[in-house]
Structure formats: structure tokens, C-alpha cells
Amino acid sequence: MPAVLGADLEVPVKGGRLVGYANLDYAASAPCLEPVSAAVTAALPAYSSVHRGAGYASQLTTARYEQARHTVRAFAGARPDDAVIFTRNTTDATNLLAGCLPAGTTAVVFDTEHHASLLPWERVVRLAPPAFPGEAVRAADEALAALDGPKLLVVTAASNVTGELWPIAALAHIAHRHGARILVDAAQLVPHRRLNLTALDLDYVAFSGHKLYAPFGAGVLVGRRDWLAEGEPYLKGGGAVRSVAPAGSGATEWHEDPEPRHEAGTPNVLGAIALAAACDALTATGWTALVREEERLIARLRAGLASIEGVRELSLWGPDHPRVGIVSFTVDGLAAREVAEALSGEYGIGVRDGKFCAHPFVRHLLGGTADEGCEDGTASAVRASIGIGTTEEHVDRLVAALRDLTTRHATVSS
Ligand SMILES: Cc1ncc(COP(=O)(O)O)c(C=O)c1O
């Protein structure tokens, strides 16, 4: 396994003691991989402008930036002619695509989506959380059949709330049967599982560097060129134009290639290099080893949680459905914020609490609890998420801490 930076980070806990940090918040933002940091450091001395400079450093940096595009294309298993557009993150990528949809396109989304995939669409049909995977396929089938005009099915590959994997190959098949396209939000898939856009027959995928151990501010949109070549340039400015006519004497001529068309201005070169380095590092480690280690640790964590009275794991499709290294839960009688703060302040454990930018989904999982605000600790859950660098000790510490907290709470309330 590649090393992560910060593996030896110590944090203060109650009483002033320092303890090793148990980072169990990878689904929000993963720590930087050592090879990612090394690639950025190596690129810095020759760092210069891309695409426009004649100087040697500019040429070298341009080559590194374009090589990063190739690496990300291969990592995503994209078709040779797919566009690979560097963005800021997944949210930026879904919004970019939303701005390029042919006029009158209707998006079909499930209410289980992260807001990044739920909200950018102008015309949208929202589907209720499906009771089982086959129901997702059936509901998408029915919704797409009822629509005229261009259509886009938007679906997450792995839930950021429950970690559950969605049947994206079957959904792609259904979308295409109705002449629709499919966008897959792969933000939580790519740090945990191999993505192969071509094999899955996906039209677009989006993901973020900072969830893929490359926290340097770049994400990506990968997919079919035609809509992107015709859509309004995402940013208007230098790099996106072929030529600008004098005032009053003609139209601005925009690039038709999606990459320059949507990447105006100076791009985030180091972010792209970092993202590509993370792709290389995961590929070199090998998915078999990555998945095996993650499944071992997440099984240990889930078994630990299940053994504590009052701790309830959230799940859409039941405990046996395949999932990545993410688990959300509630603790009877304790607000999620209270639990997360105690885990941090007393045990040096970092988790996330709230509705994880998936308000309709978390509300559904909590049984339609009245919405008392997003991140205020009420009507919300705690999420623990793991990845490269997570150890058995981190997992066991979380389970022991929750056992302590629930025992203390039971004693106080009795
Ligand atoms: C499934 C999913 N999609 C999209 C996003 C948005 O990612 P970003 O904040 O990098 O835009 C997240 C982030 O939590 C996510 O988990």
C-alpha cells in the first residue's frame, strides 16, 4: 500500500494528552498519498504556464498536464475519443455537463443522490429511493419511457451515505434502450473500486481528486464529446476562443474541442498532475489488494457497530448488499453532533456528522424525521469512512469509543 501523509499526526484530546489521529472521514476528503505529494513536488521546479508559452518550462509543464489527461482517461477506462475535462471537483463537473445539455433535456435522478448530482438540472424528474436494486432499474425504465426529447439518467455509483453500490451497468442499459444518456457520479467509487466507463457503457463520469488522495483542487468530467463540443463554454475567456473579432464586426469563435472550450483561463495544472499521480498509484497497488484490505476493515467495523446496543447502521438495501468503505449510523438517545464531538475531543477520532449533502436521502433513511436543519446535529447521522492508511487500531478505537459513549449515556439516563 502506498503511504499517506499525516499517518503519524497527533491531536490533542480532553485533558491535554496527544493521541495518534484516527482519520475515519475519507469520504469527505481523503489524505494525500505520498506518491501524489512527490509528483507535485517534482513538477514544481519546472512549473510554468501551459499551452501558451514557448519556453522550455512551459513546454514541459504543458506535456505533464496533457499526460495527466491521458492517465485519467486510462484510469476511467474511457473510450479513446472521450473528452477529459479538468474541473474543480465533482460538483463543478456535474454543473459543467448541466450547462451543455441539448435544449429541452430532462434529467432523471433518484432522491438518494448527493446534492452535486441532484441539483444542477433545470428540467428534472426525481424518483423516490428504490426499495431494492431491481426497483431502481424498474423505476428508471418507467420514468425514461414516459419522457419525450433528450434525457439524461443521473446516478451515483457508490452512495456517500451508506457506501452501497448501485447497479450502474443495468441502469446504463436501460437508459440507452430509451435513447437516454447516463451520467455516473463516481466520486465515492473511484477511491475504492476500479471504474471502466467503456465496459459499463457509461456516457459520462465525474469524480474529485480530493476524495482520491489528491487534495490539490482538481476533479474531472469524462465522456462523450458531442454535447460538450456544442454546449456553451463553461468559462468564457482566454484559451476557450479561437478568435475574437473587433467590436461590432463578427462573432467570437469558440473552440469546438471540449477541453479548451471548457477550460478557459490558466488551469489547475498541479491539481491535474496530482490527480493523475493518484490514479497511477492506485493502479500500481492493484485493485485486488485494495479491495481485499478495505473489505476486511469495513467488515470489522460493521461487526463492531452491530455489537453495540443502540447503534444503528443506515442502509437502503440491507446489510448484505455490497458496499465500499463507508458506514453511517445513529446512536439512540445521542445527537450525531454530540457523538462526533465526543469521538474527536475524547478519543482523537475524526468522523463526519450531518446529512452529508444528501438531505432527501438521509431524511428517508431516518424514517422521514422532521427536518430540523442540515448540519445542526439533529435528524442526522454519523459517518465513518476508511481507505488507504486506515488501520485495525483506528477501527477498534471507534468501536470501543462508541461502546463507552453508549454505556455512559445508559448510566446517566437510568
Ligand atoms: C457521491 C458524491 N458526489 C459528489 C460529491 C461532491 O464532491 P465535491 O465536493 O468534490 O464536488 C460528493 C462529496 O461528498 C459525493 O460524496
Side-chain angles (χ1 to χ4, degrees), residues 305 308-315 327-332 381-382:
L305 295 180
I308 308 172
E309 211 181 315
V311 172
R312 296 169 203 280
E313 184 182 338
L314 302 185
S315 166
V327 53
S328 293
F329 55 91
T330 55
V331 181
D332 287 357
V382 181

Side-chain angles (χ1 to χ4, degrees), residues 110-115 118 126-130 156 159-164 166 312-316 326-331 335-337 352-384:
F110 288 92
D111 259 359
T112 47
E113 289 300 314
H114 186 281
H115 296 166
L118 185 71
R126 279 171 55 172
L127 306 177
T156 190
S159 165
N160 68 309
V161 179
T162 64
E164 288 164 304
W166 276 61
R312 296 169 203 280
E313 184 182 338
L314 302 185
S315 166
L316 183 62
I326 297 174
V327 53
S328 293
F329 55 91
T330 55
V331 181
R337 172 53 52 91
R352 172 96 188 266
D353 68 287
K355 289 196 183 71
F356 320 121
C357 297
H359 292 188
F361 187 31
V362 172
R363 212 177 285 131
H364 171 81
L365 291 170
L366 293 176
T369 321
D371 190 1
E372 295 166 59
C374 174
E375 313 298 345
D376 65 353
T378 59
S380 55
V382 181
R383 180 180 71 190

Side-chain angles (χ1 to χ4, degrees), residues 229-315:
E230 283 153 31
E232 190 76 0
Y234 191 48
L235 295 172
K236 299 193 174 78
V241 278
R242 269 186 207 291
S243 76
V244 182
S249 65
T252 301
E253 219 185 293
W254 300 101
H255 271 289
E256 278 163 15
D257 281 340
E259 289 86 351
R261 187 177 182 86
H262 297 294
E263 287 183 5
T266 299
N268 179 358
V269 178
L270 295 174
I273 290 171
L275 179 49
C279 294
D280 277 340
L282 294 193
T283 305
T285 306
W287 288 105
T288 309
L290 285 165
V291 171
R292 193 188 310 124
E293 177 61 0
E294 176 181 306
E295 289 200 326
R296 188 179 73 79
L297 289 172
I298 201 71
R300 188 179 179 94
L301 174 55
R302 293 180 65 219
L305 295 180
S307 72
I308 308 172
E309 211 181 315
V311 172
R312 296 169 203 280
E313 184 182 338
L314 302 185
S315 166

Side-chain angles (χ1 to χ4, degrees), residues 27-28 88-94 113-117 156-161 185-189 206-211 326 352 356-357 383:
R88 285 177 291 184
N89 46 41
T90 305
T91 308
D92 203 31
T94 54
E113 289 300 314
H114 186 281
H115 296 166
S117 294
T156 190
S159 165
N160 68 309
V161 179
D185 173 344
Q188 300 293 357
L189 182 77
F207 53 92
S208 302
H210 72 99
K211 294 187 194 291
I326 297 174
R352 172 96 188 266
F356 320 121
C357 297
R383 180 180 71 190

